[in-house]
Amino acid sequence: MATYVKGASQVSLALQVLMGLAFIWWWMFWFLQPIQTARNWLRKADAHISQDFLGTRGSTWLLQVLPFMIIAFLSYFAIVLKGKIRPSTRDVSADQKPKVSIWSQPIILKSPLGMLTLADIVFLLVNVFVIAFYFIKMSVDRSKTIDNAKPKKGDHSKGAQKLENIGVYLGKAALIPFALLWIPVSRGSPFLRVTGVPFERAVKYHTWLGLMCVWLLVAHGLVFFAYFPSIHHTSELWRWQHKGIAYFPGIIALAAGLVMLATALEKVRRNHFNIFFLTHHLYLVFLLFFLFHCVSQMVYVVTPILLFFLDRFIRLVQSRKSVDILSTKVLPSGAIELKFAKPGNLEYNALSFMYVLVPSISKFEWHPFSVASSPLDGTNQICIYIKPLGTYTKAVHDALIDTKNHKEAGKLKCPFGFKLQLEGPYGDESNFYLKYNSLILVAGGIGVTPFLAILKDILHRHKLRQENLPTSIHLIFCVRNQKDLCLLDTINPSEILPNHEDLVQIRIHAFVTSKVDLIKDEELNSSEAIVPYQHYNYTYMNEPSKQYTGPPLEAVREMSILAGSGDNKWVAATFFATMIGYIVIFGIINVTGAYAKLTNYNRALLYCVVLLLSVVGCGGPVLMLWAHFQKRKSPQSNSQVLANSFPPSPDKYSKSSEGDIELRSSEHTSWEGEVSLGKRPDWKVLFADMARQYEGKNVGVLVSGASKMQEDVATECKNHTNSNNSNVAFHYHSVSFEL
């Protein structure tokens, strides 16, 4: 149970203000650079700051490198404090209309960029404004300088000089989104964890920043090709200049960026995920040849890149450990339930998700899956569900249930002849859904899995007699096939909390959208398109599930605890060791004068070596210490905990799973609600009913499903919340883990 600390919210707010100021501090560099007075001030500051150790102008280091270090440093303290803040309740007086946060609620529901919140719009506008201001001001001022300068013998035409400077400032402006785009894809990033930016939004921000960066570089390249023949001989394009800017590496970097952009388009990404995933690793080629092209510009982006590679290194260390499957259950719908063991001291949340790799299917293709278990169930295991929809998930499904093929391939008995590799857990750490007394959960198909975790979590918290918990929950569940409803019956709320109806009212509204035969039942004595969920469950869904048990518990290999979102003290120590290592190593190289003597090619390679030494050589030993102490600290009784909370597993002397275990669904479900057959939900009617039921209240609305469903639900939330005739506030939250 969480231990709340008085005053934690005030300290956390102060830390967030400081981090916001540090971020503005970073942005200020790009405002100050184009202003002549500010440039003069920066030059004076440089004169008082030694450059021997830093290897660059002191003002650049202070305004570009240091702010990110400060933000990351403060983030770890803020993350710890977030867990100590008591969730605020949203009680509203009778004469006060409930209100929603203007920052997180969708404002624009349909646009080429998807649904946009005020936070999204501000993020876009600020970045576009900073980029445009820097580029336009620098280009205009430089053009004026060229116009006022007296021509000298041998000078190029003023038009060519202006074009050259436009190309240069387009390239420098691209450094702004290039520095920021590394942050959203650092899965364990302290920036994302402290701000609580959802996975879906982080991917969106990375996409936007990537587009800005690539298109600026495309413009940079076009301008470059336009003026180059008038200033240089074209043969210089293919030469590798040893000093200054090397042109040929820049062309290679731009080509790599364009390939990544083309394969990241939604149609390619959705239909050919493997191509998208593999070509996106060209970021290594892009970064390397960016260094070869203009290594002097690395100072502007080094901190986010260092944090990204540190996160990548931690993920690599964690995922090297093969993980055993504790059990597999094949549901009547074809969905597969996988359970695997976790260390007793590895924490996760109901809205966490894992990245899963099945090496026997693909050695490179990682996919996110939301957890469907509660961290409060005391079982030291994590559960996920996989529905065979795409090529990858169908391959995993076939590998798990096709015993014959496994025998023919000479592998061990399915599904335990192959192992999983895992990264995570990641995701929201705030449990924000607990601050609402009333919840509406809207799910489509397999998108119900995070809500299974939320329902379990809330029931367990009521069992522990925690305060200020949701007491009214509606789950709207849309499926194509009636068998898909069996996911709901993987939970029996009465087993978790007997007489749960006395503490929390949970009602199911299920919709089977495909054409089905209407219920004809003598007990009901009617033909109905809407039937009670309990009766429908008993009559139509009482089909057996196949369950396979795993290896002996004492031989189970659990997932690694070394995660980017793991123990905050150790993650912070790894970060500090990496950053200090980078500063010290690079400082020593600068002081000795070795860096200044190198060509740009060798400087780029040296930068790569310093990054590697900082992450692996300095951060790696801290990870080793973390692993050592966690191994000693890890509960010795983990296998006993698993044994007490899990169906019998074969011991080491018995033959493992020679036959399937058939589990028949419960003949009576504890869920209350109804099933609507052959129809889709009428969102207007549903939310009108909810608005009347929850008049005068703040209601959390969580949606996990297709984009059309999200748009429809967001529209109703906005209409009712903004309506003068409505006295309810629907707080919309998207729950999505798709790339």
Side-chain angles (χ1 to χ4, degrees):
M1 189 179 295
T3 303
Y4 302 119
V5 176
K6 188 177 181 180
S9 59
Q10 289 83 353
V11 178
S12 177
L13 179 61
L15 289 175
Q16 290 180 46
V17 170
L18 289 174
M19 287 185 286
L21 292 174
F23 200 37
I24 294 172
W25 181 4
W26 177 83
W27 254 323
M28 282 303 296
F29 175 85
W30 301 101
F31 279 110
L32 296 175
Q33 273 286 305
I35 302 172
Q36 184 62 47
T37 305
R39 286 204 299 271
N40 294 335
W41 177 83
L42 291 175
R43 290 192 187 100
K44 291 179 182 178
D46 290 336
H48 294 84
I49 303 173
S50 173
Q51 299 182 31
D52 294 338
F53 187 80
L54 299 177
T56 186
R57 293 195 304 272
S59 60
T60 304
W61 201 93
L62 290 174
L63 288 168
Q64 290 292 280
V65 180
L66 192 60
F68 279 123
M69 292 185 179
I70 292 173
I71 295 169
F73 176 80
L74 296 176
S75 293
Y76 290 109
F77 293 100
I79 289 166
V80 173
L81 283 172
K82 280 182 72 175
K84 306 295 182 182
I85 300 173
R86 184 182 296 277
S88 59
T89 56
R90 293 182 175 269
D91 296 327
V92 180
S93 59
D95 58 346
Q96 181 183 6
K97 182 174 179 177
K99 296 180 180 180
V100 299
S101 169
I102 61 172
W103 289 99
S104 59
Q105 298 305 300
I107 294 177
I108 300 175
L109 301 179
K110 292 183 179 181
S111 77
L113 299 176
M115 285 193 296
L116 299 177
T117 65
L118 181 58
D120 297 335
I121 296 170
V122 170
F123 178 84
L124 272 173
L125 290 179
V126 168
N127 280 286
V128 170
F129 175 76
V130 173
I131 291 168
F133 175 77
Y134 174 82
F135 166 67
I136 294 172
K137 188 75 169 65
M138 291 295 284
S139 299
V140 170
D141 287 354
R142 184 60 183 160
S143 294
K144 289 179 180 178
T145 302
I146 293 171
D147 286 333
N148 296 331
K150 292 182 179 180
K152 295 180 181 179
K153 188 177 180 180
D155 280 353
H156 303 292
S157 68
K158 290 187 176 183
Q161 291 181 53
K162 290 179 182 179
L163 204 58
E164 181 179 18
N165 279 284
I166 288 173
V168 168
Y169 293 125
L170 279 168
K172 291 205 72 170
L175 292 172
I176 301 171
F178 185 53
L180 296 175
L181 64 81
W182 301 89
I183 297 172
V185 288
S186 300
R187 296 174 189 168
S189 167
F191 305 122
L192 297 183
R193 295 179 64 198
V194 75
T195 57
V197 174
F199 174 81
E200 177 187 30
R201 191 173 294 171
V203 171
K204 183 189 295 184
Y205 290 170
H206 172 74
T207 303
W208 293 347
L209 291 166
L211 285 170
M212 291 179 198
C213 180
V214 173
W215 286 121
L216 283 168
L217 292 178
V218 167
H220 167 71
L222 291 174
V223 173
F224 166 79
F225 283 115
Y227 78 77
F228 193 86
S230 62
I231 295 179
H232 306 284
H233 195 279
T234 53
S235 63
E236 291 188 35
L237 276 175
W238 318 112
R239 289 175 53 199
W240 201 301
Q241 291 76 12
H242 296 294
K243 296 293 182 182
I245 301 297
Y247 305 121
F248 183 58
I251 296 172
I252 296 176
L254 180 58
L258 287 172
V259 172
M260 286 191 288
L261 175 66
T263 55
L265 296 174
E266 187 172 359
K267 285 187 177 180
V268 179
R269 190 176 69 249
R270 298 287 186 195
N271 299 326
H272 307 282
F273 186 85
N274 263 331
I275 294 175
F276 156 74
F277 185 81
L278 291 173
T279 55
H280 232 61
H281 282 78
L282 287 173
Y283 76 86
L284 294 169
V285 175
F286 181 90
L287 179 59
L288 179 61
F289 282 88
F290 163 79
L291 283 171
F292 289 146
H293 174 58
C294 52
V295 67
S296 61
Q297 307 302 305
M298 185 65 176
V299 66
Y300 299 108
V301 298
V302 66
T303 311
I305 288 176
L306 199 57
L307 285 170
F308 170 81
F309 280 109
L310 175 60
D311 177 74
R312 192 67 190 85
F313 178 61
I314 294 174
R315 286 158 48 193
L316 178 66
V317 172
Q318 184 190 26
S319 62
R320 284 189 63 200
K321 185 175 182 180
S322 294
V323 180
D324 287 313
I325 301 172
L326 283 172
S327 78
T328 301
K329 184 191 293 183
V330 183
L331 303 179
S333 65
I336 295 175
E337 175 191 87
L338 292 182
K339 291 184 178 180
F340 43 85
K342 75 173 188 69
N345 46 4
L346 176 66
E347 297 182 357
Y348 71 100
N349 299 278
L351 283 175
S352 293
F353 63 95
M354 310 289 301
Y355 271 87
V356 180
L357 174 73
V358 184
S360 60
I361 304 299
S362 171
K363 296 187 181 298
F364 305 105
E365 196 169 345
W366 291 83
H367 281 261
F369 293 96
S370 56
V371 303
S373 49
S374 166
L376 298 177
D377 60 14
T379 61
N380 287 351
Q381 57 184 269
I382 292 178
C383 171
I384 63 173
Y385 287 94
I386 299 176
K387 183 71 184 293
L389 297 172
T391 304
Y392 176 82
T393 49
K394 286 179 180 177
V396 174
H397 176 273
D398 293 343
L400 284 168
I401 66 172
D402 195 346
T403 308
K404 179 181 178 182
N405 288 347
H406 272 256
K407 286 182 177 179
E408 290 176 353
K411 299 179 181 178
L412 297 176
K413 185 169 180 63
C414 177
F416 306 103
F418 65 91
K419 310 297 178 185
L420 301 177
Q421 290 179 296
L422 303 172
E423 290 180 6
Y426 304 110
D428 189 276
E429 300 177 36
S430 65
N431 293 326
F432 64 86
Y433 54 88
L434 295 177
K435 66 185 178 184
Y436 300 109
N437 290 327
S438 306
L439 287 173
I440 299 173
L441 310 177
V442 183
I446 198 66
V448 77
T449 51
F451 298 152
L452 299 180
I454 286 178
L455 291 173
K456 292 177 185 177
D457 192 59
I458 292 172
L459 289 168
H460 278 293
R461 290 177 186 274
H462 275 291
K463 186 177 182 179
L464 294 171
R465 302 295 179 183
Q466 293 185 11
E467 299 177 350
N468 299 324
L469 298 174
T471 56
S472 176
I473 303 173
H474 287 270
L475 173 60
I476 302 172
F477 185 29
C478 305
V479 296
R480 290 182 181 178
N481 191 303
Q482 54 191 342
K483 288 186 177 181
D484 291 332
L485 294 175
C486 66
L487 281 164
L488 293 179
D489 292 311
T490 58
I491 306 176
N492 188 338
S494 295
E495 289 182 0
I496 299 174
L497 181 64
N499 301 318
H500 65 277
E501 302 90 344
D502 298 336
L503 296 172
V504 55
Q505 300 293 318
I506 304 174
R507 187 164 185 84
I508 306 297
H509 308 272
F511 292 84
V512 180
T513 59
S514 61
K515 292 183 179 180
V516 294
D517 293 332
L518 299 183
I519 298 294
K520 294 181 180 179
D521 193 276
E522 293 181 0
E523 279 187 40
L524 295 177
N525 196 28
S526 64
S527 296
E528 296 287 345
I530 302 177
V531 295
Y533 183 86
Q534 288 178 309
H535 182 85
Y536 188 82
N537 168 274
Y538 173 78
T539 308
Y540 288 87
M541 293 165 54
N542 193 27
E543 295 187 20
S545 301
K546 291 185 177 181
Q547 177 161 324
Y548 306 84
T549 53
L553 290 175
E554 60 269 27
V556 165
R557 286 178 290 185
E558 61 190 19
M559 64 180 293
S560 171
I561 196 173
L562 303 182
S565 57
D567 190 309
N568 291 311
K569 296 186 294 297
W570 284 105
V571 176
T574 307
F575 162 74
F576 296 140
T578 300
M579 294 307 303
I580 292 170
Y582 167 77
I583 294 170
V584 170
I585 294 170
F586 210 79
I588 292 172
I589 293 171
N590 289 324
V591 169
T592 59
Y595 186 79
K597 299 175 183 177
L598 298 174
T599 64
N600 55 12
Y601 174 80
N602 290 325
R603 287 181 180 183
L605 292 179
L606 182 62
Y607 241 117
C608 295
V609 172
V610 172
L611 288 174
L612 183 66
L613 286 176
S614 303
V615 172
V616 179
C618 300
V622 179
L623 284 180
M624 291 175 64
L625 283 174
W626 181 10
H628 173 72
F629 281 104
Q630 290 296 343
K631 189 174 181 180
R632 292 177 56 187
K633 185 180 176 182
S634 183
Q636 299 299 315
S637 58
N638 197 33
S639 62
Q640 185 60 43
V641 173
L642 289 168
N644 293 337
S645 60
F646 199 71
S649 184
D651 59 43
K652 59 185 176 183
Y653 302 109
S654 66
K655 293 184 179 179
S656 176
S657 300
E658 286 299 329
D660 306 334
I661 301 174
E662 286 200 353
L663 301 176
R664 188 164 292 277
S665 302
S666 169
E667 293 191 354
H668 181 77
T669 182
S670 297
W671 297 122
E672 296 286 343
E674 71 279 342
V675 179
S676 299
L677 301 173
K679 61 183 295 188
R680 298 179 181 274
D682 187 328
W683 299 112
K684 288 186 178 181
V685 173
L686 277 171
F687 275 87
D689 291 342
M690 299 291 179
R692 286 190 291 270
Q693 179 180 345
Y694 294 122
E695 185 176 0
K697 295 183 179 181
N698 288 284
V699 183
V701 180
L702 282 67
V703 185
S704 176
S707 57
K708 180 64 167 63
M709 173 187 285
Q710 295 189 32
E711 287 179 8
D712 291 342
V713 174
T715 299
E716 293 307 316
C717 289
K718 184 179 179 181
N719 290 343
H720 283 281
T721 302
N722 296 338
S723 172
N724 293 326
N725 299 323
S726 178
N727 190 32
V728 65
F730 290 122
H731 299 259
Y732 177 89
H733 301 273
S734 175
V735 180
S736 175
F737 307 104
E738 291 185 347
L739 289 174

